[in-house]
């Protein structure tokens, strides 16, 4: 595992990229007062550098990696933890994601789910997971929320 993590750290930013309108949308949501958690199954230690590289580190009020808590997506633990952290209930929260694990975690936590039609979904159409909403572009969040 240490060999993998060393390699991953070395090439962390070489194959990563932001989809269109992600940065500007995150800034606008933050400016509107939304509290934003990043919930990922990636190891937490890689997140600060990766987010800083893309200039979006200031957008997140909470970072939860796959190793932050005892369980990760699709288990609801991370989503529930974020709700507790922000002192909001499920009805006041949404889970936005591009994979079945994201949507299932939101559904398991009983929050509204918003799925992106592109990204990391194991080659399956995201509509098969039955999210509450499906969007084609990240900036559609601005009108949906």
């Amino acid at each position: 595992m240490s060999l993998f993590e060393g390699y991953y750290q070395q090439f962390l930013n070489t194959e990563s990229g932001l989809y269109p309108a992600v940065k500007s949308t995150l800034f606008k949501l933050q400016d509107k007062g939304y509290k934003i958690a990043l919930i990922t199954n990636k190891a937490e230690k890689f997140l600060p550098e990766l987010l800083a590289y893309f200039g979006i580190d200031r957008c997140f009020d909470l970072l939860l990696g796959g190793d932050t808590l005892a369980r990760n997506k699709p288990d609801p633990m991370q989503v529930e933890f974020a709700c507790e952290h922000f002192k909001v209930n499920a009805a006041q929260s949404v889970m936005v994601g591009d994979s079945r694990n994201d949507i299932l975690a939101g559904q398991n936590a009983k929050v509204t789910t918003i799925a992106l039609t592109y990204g990391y979904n194991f080659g399956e159409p995201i509509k098969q997971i039955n999210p509450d909403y499906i969007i084609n572009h990240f900036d559609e969040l601005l009108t949906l929320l």
Side-chain angles (χ1 to χ4, degrees):
M1 188 62 158
S2 64
L3 181 63
F4 167 77
E5 287 183 344
Y7 183 84
Y8 190 78
Q9 182 69 49
Q10 184 179 354
F11 294 100
L12 185 62
N13 303 324
T14 60
E15 296 297 324
S16 299
L18 293 178
Y19 286 103
V22 168
K23 188 174 187 176
S24 62
T25 301
L26 288 172
F27 286 170
K28 288 175 185 171
L29 290 172
Q30 186 181 42
D31 290 345
K32 289 182 174 195
Y34 285 93
K35 297 295 181 186
I36 305 172
L38 175 66
I39 300 174
T40 180
N41 286 347
K42 286 184 183 357
E44 183 179 349
K45 68 181 179 182
F46 298 116
L47 301 178
E49 181 182 334
L50 188 60
L51 298 175
Y53 176 79
F54 291 114
I56 57 172
D57 48 325
R58 76 166 179 96
C59 298
F60 299 98
D61 303 290
L62 177 64
L63 301 178
L64 296 174
D67 56 351
T68 306
L69 303 173
R71 294 187 300 274
N72 56 14
K73 301 178 296 184
D75 188 277
M77 180 181 273
Q78 293 167 308
V79 177
E80 292 167 347
F81 182 92
C83 289
E84 290 173 20
H85 175 82
F86 294 126
K87 297 178 177 32
V88 296
N89 61 41
Q92 299 169 298
S93 306
V94 298
M95 177 65 165
V96 179
D98 63 356
S99 77
R100 77 180 347 263
N101 285 340
D102 297 327
I103 301 309
L104 290 173
Q107 290 169 339
N108 291 334
K110 298 181 177 32
V111 303
T112 298
T113 55
I114 303 172
L116 296 154
T117 56
Y118 57 88
Y120 184 74
N121 193 38
F122 312 102
E124 301 172 2
I126 198 72
K127 67 181 180 182
Q128 291 179 351
I129 314 301
N130 297 316
D132 295 302
Y133 299 94
I134 299 175
I135 59 176
N136 295 307
H137 304 283
F138 198 74
D139 58 359
E140 290 177 52
L141 285 174
L142 297 170
T143 56
L144 191 57
L145 301 176

